Amino acid sequence: MNTLFGKTKEEAKPIVLKSVDEYPEAPISLGTTLVNPTGDWRTFKPVVNEEKCVKCYICWKYCPEPAIYIKPDGYVAIDYDYCKGCGICANECPTKAITMIKEEK
Amino acid sequence: MEYKPIRKVVSGNYAAAYAALHARVQVVAAYPITPQTSIIEKIAEFIANGEADIQYIPVESEHSAMAACIGASATGARTFTATSAQGLALMHEMLHWAAGARLPIVMVDVNRAMAPPWSVWDDQTDSLSQRDTGWMQFYAENNQEVYDGVLMAYKVAETVNVPAMVVESAFILSHTYDVVEMIPQELVDEFLPPRKPLYSLANFDEPIAVGALATPNDYYEFRYKLAKAHEEAKKVIKEVGKEFGERFGRDYSQMIETGYIDDADFVFMGMGSLMGTVKEAVDLLRKEGYKVGYAKVRWFRPFPKEELVEIAESVKGIAVLDRNFSFGQEGILFTESKGALYNSSAHPLMKNYIVGLGGRDVTVKDIKAIADDMKKVIESGKVDKEVVWYHLKR
């Protein structure tokens, strides 16, 4: 879970380039999305209500990112580093356990 | 190994094909278009004869040809293509990609007039329309310079990681046979060692994305890097041109080749095969007592601003010959050179002669007539008319 090319998110350090000299000469990625979080353009974020969740994992299947993972206790959680806030999970959830709330930044 | 040239009588297009062969290009992707086609036909022949080990990718358009070259070059391969006019225009989007991704592809563009009206003859507007794509541009005067230009273009391009276009004239060079001194393979290999790529998509242990989305926070820095690479290229071009001269006897250390400028009142400035005629005319004019010289712009991108300022400081006037036109303004080299001089101390009298569009012949007689007109400009001390459509039937 949350691994890309054998590395985990916890091991990865985000890359911040402060001066032009730190940039690569060509526009190539300096790492996978592990070090380049892509979830910073949301307006609404999905929030899971575990009291309503029946662990059907329909949201997990439909998430196009995928930014939904299954926790050890079986409930689903959202990975906000990659969630774009598309709302498909909330739309598909049969028990309305996921609601989209406006994100304050 | 001592340098003994191999002399072959070839067309400009075959000179380009032989240069690609001798540069040991690994991938060629191209689409046929007159007058370029015989370049890639010759390369196909090299492969069919077993003379070259080249991956040849047939494609359905010039846009795809450049896309295939970009993919190949991004794996680290030395990549070549050729095109003309409408084909080059169709490549336009991909030209930006090649330069932005910093891939040292070398392409021969055979200058051909843009349609309509349909034309297959010489005109520089096709290549100059690609001015802002980030490609370097070298203009060849003769078949020898086509051959030398391709070899030098690879060395310069692979040093600064910027693609380069070698430009030759339709038919005047592309299909005209002349003696070209070719370099034995062993010596080409010494001059042009295998490419050391900046990155490679074929490295599967360290996967990367090329040209992925850069937000406003990052895009700007990459543009600066490309701009700086062009500045660096000016230095590299001179070094490579000098090395070429030391090894093979033809010096290209100047981005602008000059003649008779020391005591010249004015010079003819232009690019490409046109300048061969100008040199001939200037030799004759000198015998007749005209104080005239020439300045042949070899590299249009990066633009040799510093060299131009030096030339402009030593003359009273410059007659800029443009075999191209930017509608709504003037000849493209004219605009570029005036812009380059604006903040310098050199302000010669400058007049623009639009010549040879769509392959209209430019003869020694024409250059002499222009010399007489420019002489009047110098004598009167002012430019009577900035832009002249020289050949216009009236």
Side-chain angles (χ1 to χ4, degrees):
Chain A
M1 194 183 304
N2 270 330
T3 67
L4 278 168
F5 306 108
K7 292 174 191 160
T8 67
K9 205 170 94 178
E10 287 66 34
E11 290 170 53
K13 284 191 192 111
I15 295 167
V16 182
L17 301 169
K18 282 181 187 153
S19 90
V20 64
D21 299 328
E22 291 172 12
Y23 278 75
E25 187 63 25
I28 55 168
S29 57
L30 293 179
T32 63
T33 46
L34 274 180
V35 290
N36 295 299
T38 54
D40 60 359
W41 60 35
R42 273 190 311 266
T43 308
F44 293 91
K45 68 171 184 181
V47 176
V48 182
N49 179 354
E50 289 188 0
E51 282 174 19
K52 285 190 184 172
C53 176
V54 294
K55 302 179 183 173
C56 69
Y57 305 138
I58 286 175
C59 60
W60 176 79
K61 283 177 189 147
Y62 271 88
C63 177
E65 197 45 46
I68 294 180
Y69 60 97
I70 301 162
K71 295 189 290 179
D73 64 7
Y75 285 108
V76 293
I78 314 290
D79 188 337
Y80 293 114
D81 283 344
Y82 304 105
C83 170
K84 312 284 191 302
C86 71
I88 290 173
C89 54
N91 188 62
E92 295 298 332
C93 178
T95 63
K96 305 285 170 221
I98 301 177
T99 46
M100 301 298 290
I101 63 163
K102 189 153 186 196
E103 191 161 26
E104 306 290 337
K105 279 180 188 161
Chain B
M1 187 179 163
E2 199 199 335
Y3 170 55
K4 268 195 194 141
I6 303 156
R7 291 192 176 83
K8 278 193 164 99
V9 179
V10 290
S11 65
N13 279 357
Y14 283 4
Y18 273 103
L21 174 74
H22 295 160
R24 295 190 186 275
V25 301
Q26 293 160 297
V27 179
V28 173
Y31 190 80
I33 184 168
T34 301
Q36 168 280 126
T37 311
S38 57
I39 299 177
I40 56 165
E41 280 174 351
K42 191 70 181 170
I43 291 173
E45 200 180 296
F46 291 147
I47 299 166
N49 291 345
E51 289 173 74
D53 183 19
I54 297 171
Q55 293 293 315
Y56 192 97
I57 309 173
V59 285
E60 73 280 20
S61 75
E62 285 86 355
H63 189 275
S64 304
M66 187 44 65
C69 286
I70 289 166
S73 188
T75 68
R78 185 168 286 162
T79 307
F80 179 84
T81 188
T83 193
S84 288
Q86 317 297 124
L88 183 65
L90 185 54
M91 275 184 187
H92 177 73
E93 182 206 357
M94 287 290 125
L95 295 182
H96 281 278
W97 264 95
R102 305 295 299 277
L103 298 168
I105 300 162
V106 170
M107 165 164 64
V108 171
D109 174 57
V110 184
N111 268 155
R112 162 183 161 176
M114 295 300 298
W118 202 240
S119 166
V120 293
W121 293 277
D122 190 20
D123 189 307
Q124 298 164 336
T125 310
D126 63 343
S127 52
L128 291 172
S129 298
Q130 309 307 327
R131 185 190 66 177
D132 301 335
T133 55
W135 281 61
M136 297 187 284
Q137 293 194 1
F138 174 90
Y139 285 78
E141 180 198 324
N142 49 43
N143 294 359
Q144 183 69 57
E145 289 193 358
V146 174
Y147 178 84
D148 295 349
V150 169
L151 295 179
M152 285 188 290
Y154 271 113
K155 186 144 179 165
V156 175
E158 291 175 7
T159 306
V160 294
N161 293 293
V162 174
M165 218 179 274
V166 174
V167 186
E168 59 158 318
S169 305
F171 302 107
I172 298 166
L173 301 187
S174 71
H175 288 64
T176 304
Y177 282 67
D178 198 357
V179 178
V180 172
E181 289 193 355
M182 297 188 188
I183 303 162
Q185 186 65 59
E186 210 175 304
L187 295 180
V188 177
D189 293 345
E190 276 178 30
F191 171 73
L192 186 66
R195 177 183 165 201
K196 290 194 185 91
L198 197 56
Y199 59 85
S200 171
L201 280 181
N203 181 1
F204 301 114
D205 296 327
E206 290 287 332
I208 51 165
V210 178
L213 183 79
T215 63
N217 196 35
D218 291 317
Y219 182 88
Y220 195 92
E221 274 66 26
F222 288 111
R223 294 285 104 172
Y224 175 79
K225 295 250 177 191
L226 181 53
K228 232 182 137 195
H230 267 263
E231 278 306 311
E232 174 69 16
K234 287 187 195 175
K235 219 172 75 198
V236 176
I237 284 166
K238 287 165 196 263
E239 285 164 8
V240 168
K242 186 164 176 270
E243 185 192 342
F244 196 93
E246 284 163 0
R247 285 176 182 268
F248 312 121
R250 290 179 297 278
D251 182 89
Y252 290 90
S253 58
Q254 301 297 311
M255 293 173 80
I256 305 178
E257 182 193 327
T258 55
Y260 300 107
I261 56 163
D262 291 343
D263 66 336
D265 281 342
F266 71 93
V267 290
F268 289 106
M269 187 161 81
M271 304 189 291
S273 65
L274 177 66
M275 292 310 286
T277 310
V278 167
K279 284 181 183 178
E280 180 78 19
V282 168
D283 283 343
L284 295 169
L285 285 163
R286 276 277 165 178
K287 281 181 193 145
E288 292 169 23
Y290 287 77
K291 285 183 136 187
V292 59
Y294 63 85
K296 181 183 88 184
V297 177
R298 285 187 174 128
W299 292 87
F300 177 77
R301 278 292 181 276
F303 195 74
K305 190 174 170 173
E306 297 78 6
E307 284 185 35
L308 177 61
V309 169
E310 234 175 85
I311 294 161
E313 274 170 349
S314 74
V315 295
K316 292 178 194 154
I318 302 178
V320 181
L321 307 172
D322 269 306
R323 190 171 221 145
N324 59 75
F325 197 74
S326 175
F327 299 101
Q329 181 64 336
E330 55 205 7
I332 297 167
L333 184 60
F334 190 56
T335 305
E336 291 277 329
S337 43
K338 282 193 302 180
L341 296 175
Y342 187 80
N343 275 332
S344 79
S345 56
H347 291 107
L349 297 161
M350 293 181 73
K351 189 163 173 175
N352 192 196
Y353 299 88
I354 306 303
V355 295
L357 301 187
R360 182 76 59 96
D361 258 346
V362 183
T363 63
V364 168
K365 206 176 136 199
D366 295 326
I367 303 300
K368 281 179 152 184
I370 291 171
D372 283 329
D373 185 67
M374 195 62 195
K375 210 176 152 193
K376 281 182 212 151
V377 171
I378 303 295
E379 280 162 7
S380 68
K382 64 172 194 282
V383 179
D384 53 330
K385 200 177 173 199
E386 260 203 310
V387 184
V388 175
W389 283 70
Y390 170 76
H391 304 285
L392 203 63
K393 294 169 187 163
R394 290 173 205 273

